[in-house]
Amino acid sequence: MTWKIGVQSNMGPEIRLQRLFQDRFVGAVRKTHPLASLPTIGLKDYVAWGHVVAAPNGSLHGFVDDALAESGMTRKIASVVPGFPTALSVALASDLIAMVPALYLRNQQMTEQLHIFELPFKTRTINGLADVASPHGK
């Protein structure tokens, strides 16, 4: 059995997928960030600040940028890092916004120092999947 965490893709007919959990993305800034004082964060608030992006492949464009473009908006990417731990560390030490899976924050010591907020646009669902190959493709 192989574990896959991310956005589901076409695995082929010989692979059966079983969902283990489902998650969503949330925004994160340091508690003293000006956005932390707002009751809700709108699209204009979200794009007014720089962003740190967790992208293992170094990509500067993703589904967030597509969602923002649908509203005629773009974000300023100030930093690209390889993963969520680094993105949160950068957000804690700056005015940048990080986007992370909500469940990722459950056991993080730094969560007490963060202001977590719902994103002002619809994002992809994160699925924790187990894929099981059928013997001989059956």
Side-chain angles (χ1 to χ4, degrees):
M1 183 182 312
T2 302
W3 293 69
K4 303 282 186 191
I5 299 175
V7 179
Q8 181 177 341
S9 62
N10 186 357
M11 302 288 289
E14 70 281 359
I15 304 293
R16 286 192 334 254
L17 297 176
Q18 179 179 357
R19 183 180 317 164
L20 302 176
F21 66 88
Q22 199 167 37
D23 197 4
R24 72 191 195 293
F25 286 102
V26 294
V29 294
R30 60 181 167 74
K31 284 234 189 242
T32 56
H33 191 289
L35 287 178
S37 65
L38 299 178
T40 59
I41 296 172
L43 271 176
K44 288 183 181 178
D45 304 315
Y46 186 78
V47 299
W49 294 89
H51 295 256
V52 54
V53 175
N57 63 0
S59 176
L60 293 175
H61 186 90
F63 69 90
V64 171
D65 303 289
D66 294 336
L68 293 173
E70 289 178 15
S71 299
M73 300 193 164
T74 59
R75 63 180 172 166
K76 296 174 266 185
I77 298 175
S79 180
V80 178
V81 297
F84 299 122
T86 308
L88 288 174
S89 294
V90 170
L92 278 172
S94 69
D95 280 340
L96 300 179
I97 299 171
M99 186 180 80
V100 297
L103 289 176
Y104 178 78
L105 297 169
R106 291 184 86 181
N107 294 312
Q108 298 299 315
Q109 292 178 340
M110 66 179 72
T111 303
E112 296 172 358
Q113 304 167 46
L114 292 167
H115 173 74
I116 308 303
F117 60 92
E118 295 299 324
L119 296 168
F121 52 88
K122 190 172 178 98
T123 65
R124 292 179 175 180
T125 299
I126 303 166
N127 292 304
L129 303 171
D131 64 5
V132 181
S134 299
H136 310 292
K138 297 180 183 180

